[in-house]
Amino acid sequence: MSIELRHFRCFLAIADTLSITRAAERLHLTQPAVSRTLRQLEQELGLRLVDRSTHHLALTPDGLAFRDRAAVAVTAFDRALGAAHHTAWPLRLGHAWSAAGTDTTALLRRWHEEHPRTPLELLRIDDRTAGLARGDVDAALLRGEVRAPGLITEQLTTEPRVAGLPADDPLAHRATLSLVELADRTIALNTVSGTTTLDLWPAAARPASTITIGNTDDWLAAITGGRAVGVTTSATAEMHPHPSMAYVPLSDAPPVPVVIARRDGPGHPRVPDLIRLAHEVIGRTAGGAASGTASGSAGGTAGRSVGGAAPDGG
């Protein structure tokens, strides 16, 4: 027996639903047919992809690794079929929040002017690699350290970190803050795509209380609602001014690298052109983006705006 595309689709349905029953419903197959297809795939690969020892299915480490490769293969196949029916092959650029920040418009317009026959689609995907690892996009704008296997990154710029506070917080009108001054507060952490972890604080002064959120919108809501404070990059102030938010530069927090990432292997032929343009549009402000000076009020008298390009969402 040889592995066919149907084996990949079946496995991905199981990986998404973690249920033979729901995978069968999605694929319009019987449960025995789905189980049989999974066994065939595991036998051909010589790997155990799904752990069936518990009441609920779970992917094994090999299954987790194979899921991304299978998704890339299926996406590439589907796009190849779609390209046969369309004159344009869109280039998909993923991001988890705010893309290139204030440079987003310039990037999109420059691309349209220089490559009018290749549409550039900007997709927000709340994922650490903005959908790149699983093949949902062709390239991605990411922040922080990217450790996903099979990805190649190039740094474009850096963004200084700032504290995000409710506008009526006692610290909101300070010129600068230190991380230690936030250690007794509840910290909102974006564990999906953010760059802030408790390791940012000195070991002896780490916050004891945190709340977990999954995207920038929820991060903002947690802070403006008075539930927490946060740490983000300076560009959040530019992209998300709010009358109930204040952003204060942090004097002792390292800056966050901004990178453009692609998969290691064949991909959209225009990805190199996109990378070159990103360096021109975003990389040109690298020196200024790293400085992070205050620039007055944003979104109301209570908001402090700090120069930069895009938020990290907490």
Side-chain angles (χ1 to χ4, degrees):
M1 189 208 81
S2 60
I3 296 176
E4 302 172 0
L5 191 65
R6 64 184 177 88
H7 294 95
F8 282 27
R9 294 193 189 279
C10 181
F11 169 69
L12 290 174
I14 296 171
D16 286 345
T17 63
L18 295 179
S19 167
I20 296 295
T21 301
R22 290 194 294 272
E25 293 172 351
R26 177 183 294 188
L27 297 170
H28 304 290
L29 297 172
T30 64
Q31 294 181 41
V34 170
S35 296
R36 182 169 60 252
T37 302
L38 175 61
R39 285 196 303 271
Q40 291 171 347
L41 178 61
E42 291 180 320
Q43 290 170 1
E44 285 295 309
L45 293 175
L47 298 172
R48 187 183 183 192
L49 303 176
V50 177
D51 184 359
R52 307 170 184 80
S53 62
T54 61
H55 293 295
H56 300 286
L57 295 184
L59 298 184
T60 66
D62 286 331
L64 289 169
F66 184 71
R67 177 185 59 186
D68 290 338
R69 296 194 294 270
V72 169
V74 171
T75 299
F77 178 83
D78 290 341
R79 293 193 71 192
L81 288 183
H85 300 91
H86 299 85
T87 57
W89 181 1
L91 177 62
R92 302 163 304 169
L93 177 62
H95 67 102
W97 20 257
S98 295
T102 53
D103 288 324
T104 301
T105 298
L107 181 66
L108 295 175
R109 290 188 176 183
R110 283 278 304 276
W111 180 267
H112 179 67
E113 292 169 0
E114 298 178 17
H115 306 279
R117 295 187 178 182
T118 304
L120 179 59
E121 297 180 352
L122 195 62
L123 302 174
R124 172 180 165 175
I125 300 175
D126 291 322
D127 173 76
R128 184 65 191 96
T129 67
L132 182 61
R134 60 176 187 255
D136 291 341
V137 296
D138 303 296
L141 291 166
L142 306 173
R143 283 162 176 78
E145 185 177 1
V146 180
R147 297 181 179 179
L151 300 187
I152 296 175
T153 64
E154 296 184 26
Q155 184 168 315
L156 299 172
T157 185
T158 61
E159 296 170 352
R161 283 184 165 100
V162 300
L165 305 161
D168 57 356
D169 190 281
L171 300 178
H173 297 286
R174 290 275 298 276
T176 62
L177 289 171
S178 67
L179 288 168
V180 173
E181 291 178 283
L182 302 178
D184 61 346
R185 304 296 189 88
T186 296
I187 308 296
L189 298 178
N190 180 348
T191 57
V192 176
S193 59
T195 62
T196 301
T197 70
L198 293 182
D199 291 336
L200 185 64
W201 277 261
R206 287 179 180 161
S209 177
T210 64
I211 59 173
T212 299
I213 50 88
N215 55 58
T216 301
D217 295 336
D218 292 347
W219 184 85
L220 290 166
I223 295 172
T224 57
R227 297 177 58 208
V229 301
V231 174
T232 183
T233 71
S234 60
T236 305
E238 294 291 340
M239 298 304 295
H240 296 278
H242 193 289
S244 298
M245 275 287 293
Y247 299 93
V248 182
L250 285 166
S251 60
D252 57 350
V256 175
V258 180
V259 304
I260 187 165
R262 63 176 176 85
R263 289 188 298 276
D264 184 11
H268 197 293
R270 290 297 186 183
V271 167
D273 296 322
L274 177 61
I275 292 175
R276 283 194 294 270
L277 184 62
H279 277 289
E280 291 180 19
V281 174
I282 303 169
R284 63 177 168 75
T285 58
S291 61
T293 56
S295 60
S297 176
T301 57
R304 181 186 301 276
S305 176
V306 183
D312 76 350

